Amino acid sequence: MAKSIIEDQDRALVFYHVDFEQSVEISDGALAHFHRHRQRRICAREAGGQVFGTVTAAVVRVLEAYGPRRTDERTRTSFRSDPVAAQHDIDSCTERGLVYLGEWHTHPEPKPNASPTDLDAFTRLLGRSSLRMNTLLLLIQGTGDGGDSLSLYSGRSNEIKQWTNG
Ligand SMILES: [Zn+2]
């Protein structure tokens, strides 16, 4: 039996920021993808990739998450997507009408915060002129179960802001 739309919305995680009129909704499917890659074992490497979805005046919806891929660079405390493989998924999602919204990766901590390296990499990504979106998202999944185990940052040029959920 098909799930109702209301049921799906109930399970989404919604983030807010006082400076933004839009909310950011993380779909059940994207949340499940992040959860599957949580670094629950002591030796587990970081995972990550790209997120895609839709944008309206009221809400940015993160609908799909891709990665990690076999050719990514991964350690316990770092992650870097294979840029060629990532671009392939960006192109195929764009063809399907989804918007490239930004990046995600995991951290081996319960309540994750962006590291200085993360913020540097995000700032460099924002500086790339070829991107269609002028605001991008950075999602970090920690090891916990609840909403506080997922952190969301938005970035525009070099201005990065952390959002809250719940
Ligand atoms: Zn990180």
Side-chain angles (χ1 to χ4, degrees), residues 6 14-15 36 40 52-53 102 107 115 124 131 138 141-142 147 159:
I6 289 170
V14 184
F15 284 84
R36 263 202 305 281
R40 303 297 277 259
F52 302 88
H107 271 189
S115 67
R124 267 184 278 116
L131 298 168
L138 171 63
Q141 173 67 59
E159 189 178 49

Side-chain angles (χ1 to χ4, degrees), residues 107-127:
H107 271 189
E109 56 181 342
K111 296 174 186 177
N113 285 299
S115 67
T117 309
D118 290 336
L119 296 175
D120 279 354
F122 195 35
T123 301
R124 267 184 278 116
L125 178 69
L126 295 166

Side-chain angles (χ1 to χ4, degrees), residues 64-136:
E64 297 184 11
Y66 283 71
R69 306 176 184 87
R70 199 174 41 80
T71 48
D72 296 333
E73 291 174 24
R74 303 172 63 185
T75 74
R76 188 177 132 70
T77 56
S78 72
F79 176 83
R80 186 172 168 276
S81 283
D82 172 351
V84 174
Q87 188 61 49
H88 181 265
D89 283 337
I90 290 173
D91 292 343
S92 68
C93 283
T94 303
E95 276 171 26
R96 289 164 49 221
L98 293 174
V99 178
Y100 166 66
L101 296 173
E103 304 279 318
W104 74 277
H105 67 274
T106 61
H107 271 189
E109 56 181 342
K111 296 174 186 177
N113 285 299
S115 67
T117 309
D118 290 336
L119 296 175
D120 279 354
F122 195 35
T123 301
R124 267 184 278 116
L125 178 69
L126 295 166
R128 275 199 237 151
S129 58
S130 60
L131 298 168
R132 284 169 55 215
M133 294 286 291
N134 61 3
T135 298
L136 288 177

